[in-house]
Amino acid sequence: SFIYPQDWPFPPQGELVHSENVGALSVNSTGSCFSASKPAKWPEQSLEGWHRPECWDQFSRSLSAGNRFVILTGPPGTGKTWLPILYAAASYGLSRPEREKARMREDLEARGVLQVVRCRPNWTSPRPLVGGLAFDGKWSPGLVEKFIHHACNNRDQEHFLVLDEMNLSHPEHYLSDFISAMETGGSLRDEKDKEADGRSLEWPVGNLVIIGTVNTDETTQMLSPRLKSRAWVVEVRTDWEEVADLEQGAGKRVARQLGALDEALKAAGLGFGIRDLHHVLEYAGEKGDGFESRMWEAIGQKLLPKLRGTKDKLEGPLVALIAELPAGKLRDEIEILKERVRRDEYINASC
């Protein structure tokens, strides 16, 4: 379990008014609830993933600069969605043991200061988020309408909007009004929608941050330079040394092995997350007869589907993987993939 020490400064400079009942953040002279005048001080671990210290620092600073729009990238299972939830919880003085981390999210949502939206691949306009006229002429509420209004009506409270798997569709399409409002302020609706709903939906300047999480595979969309130029992009990776130090028995053995393979894959933008550790341990069980064999079976099932791409991307990581793997079936498979990518210039080990 993990409890936040009371003396940690959140946001980075400690501009936090602690309250057990109502979270309130002081607003600085720039109109933002955050400032970046001092280095961020972050924990080395989180509830869902054990993030590298530089990840915490970059994320903290990104929330206090520019458009306050952050995109979190990194391998699946590294805790990208939980990172902003943990930041929000610490900002409002909330702490719970790991087994109750879902309750912490519920506490923030009940206060109206956090909303996590699961993005959908069929979004082509801002209407799923901010609302719009349906085909029958009636008003169809948006997913974040109430949240935006709450932010506008509670300027002394920081609000965190998390767009989970934001690149299942094209963010440039469904966030078009948001991108404009980030820079110029004003309404998130046109005149027709204002008239239909009977009210505007203003951009809450200074107390709203947007955090999107992305994964990159054949089911997702690439982020455009236009979007990236308006956001901060932070890579989220697991701190495997920290994980190995804190794990015991089989967990320590698996964490060290995953850490070595994660480092080998890093150059290709691939890697393992804390979720992989949990899955491998559930499959392999406790140390004893057959543990090593079961561990490598599980790691192979997690590793091979990641290996798809060109020779330029994968040849180096495949060589690095071979150096880390013991003699056996998985190493033989990686050797074959290395020869295939050299011959064919491309491989897809997930097929």
Side-chain angles (χ1 to χ4, degrees):
S1 65
F2 179 71
I3 304 296
Y4 292 97
Q6 291 298 312
D7 60 348
W8 275 355
F10 288 93
Q13 298 68 42
E15 297 184 49
L16 171 62
V17 179
H18 287 282
S19 171
E20 290 297 321
N21 299 315
V22 180
L25 297 171
S26 62
V27 180
N28 61 30
S29 59
T30 65
S32 168
C33 291
F34 293 155
S35 169
S37 58
K38 297 180 182 179
K41 184 179 180 182
W42 280 91
E44 294 183 357
Q45 69 253 45
S46 74
L47 298 180
E48 174 69 11
W50 299 79
H51 305 110
R52 295 177 184 269
E54 60 268 25
C55 166
W56 290 103
D57 183 67
Q58 292 170 13
F59 180 66
S60 171
R61 292 179 181 278
S62 299
L63 291 181
S64 61
N67 292 326
R68 310 183 73 225
F69 174 30
V70 184
I71 297 173
L72 301 177
T73 69
T78 51
K80 295 186 290 294
T81 304
W82 276 100
L83 182 61
I85 298 174
L86 292 168
Y87 187 101
S91 297
Y92 282 94
L94 300 179
S95 61
R96 287 187 178 275
E98 182 175 358
R99 64 182 179 276
E100 297 181 15
K101 60 187 179 183
R103 286 284 301 279
M104 184 170 58
R105 171 178 167 176
E106 292 171 2
D107 290 344
L108 292 164
E109 291 173 335
R111 295 182 184 209
V113 297
L114 169 74
Q115 184 169 3
V116 180
V117 178
R118 295 177 180 176
C119 298
R120 296 289 182 263
N122 62 340
W123 288 358
T124 58
S125 78
R127 289 193 173 188
L129 293 176
V130 301
L133 287 172
F135 291 112
D136 59 4
K138 295 181 180 179
W139 182 258
S140 176
L143 293 172
V144 302
E145 266 189 81
K146 289 183 178 180
F147 184 75
I148 298 294
H149 283 305
H150 190 275
C152 289
N153 294 330
N154 297 272
R155 295 287 186 175
D156 63 336
Q157 296 182 4
E158 190 64 81
H159 289 67
F160 300 83
L161 177 59
V162 181
L163 302 175
D164 198 21
E165 298 198 58
M166 67 180 300
N167 62 331
L168 284 177
S169 181
H170 288 284
E172 299 82 359
H173 295 168
Y174 67 83
L175 287 180
S176 57
D177 291 345
F178 286 74
I179 293 170
S180 177
M182 284 177 194
E183 299 184 342
T184 63
S187 178
L188 291 167
R189 290 178 178 160
D190 57 26
E191 292 302 323
K192 183 178 180 181
D193 284 343
K194 288 180 189 178
E195 182 178 347
D197 187 40
R199 57 179 177 173
S200 180
L201 187 62
E202 299 300 315
W203 180 258
V205 177
N207 69 321
L208 173 66
V209 292
I210 297 180
I211 304 105
T213 72
V214 302
N215 289 311
T216 304
D217 57 34
E218 63 273 8
T219 69
T220 59
Q221 307 295 332
M222 296 299 293
L223 301 178
S224 71
R226 173 175 175 264
L227 186 73
K228 288 182 179 179
S229 70
R230 289 163 169 81
W232 301 102
V233 181
V234 177
E235 184 181 24
V236 179
R237 298 193 74 91
T238 302
D239 189 340
W240 287 108
E241 289 186 8
E242 184 73 17
V243 176
D245 286 343
L246 291 162
E247 286 287 339
Q248 301 293 327
K252 186 181 291 290
R253 171 76 178 95
V254 175
R256 285 175 173 168
Q257 193 59 67
L258 290 179
L261 299 179
D262 183 79
E263 191 63 30
L265 291 168
K266 187 175 180 180
L270 306 173
F272 290 98
I274 201 74
R275 183 192 302 151
D276 296 311
L277 171 65
H278 296 159
H279 288 180
V280 171
L281 284 173
E282 289 170 4
Y283 183 95
E286 295 299 321
K287 276 190 171 181
D289 292 342
F291 171 79
E292 287 288 316
S293 175
R294 294 191 300 272
M295 181 189 75
W296 285 113
E297 285 176 6
I299 290 176
Q301 291 192 44
K302 295 294 181 180
L303 172 62
L304 293 176
K306 301 176 187 292
L307 301 178
R308 58 181 180 274
T310 64
K311 176 182 176 181
D312 289 342
K313 175 183 177 181
L314 289 180
E315 184 177 19
L318 288 173
V319 172
L321 282 174
I322 292 168
E324 295 293 342
L325 292 171
K329 180 180 177 182
L330 182 57
R331 179 171 175 171
D332 292 343
E333 289 186 73
I334 301 300
E335 289 272 14
I336 292 171
L337 290 174
K338 182 190 71 173
E339 296 306 317
R340 277 178 51 195
V341 80
R342 286 176 174 173
R343 181 190 69 211
D344 302 335
E345 304 284 327
Y346 181 87
I347 58 169
N348 185 351
S350 63
C351 295

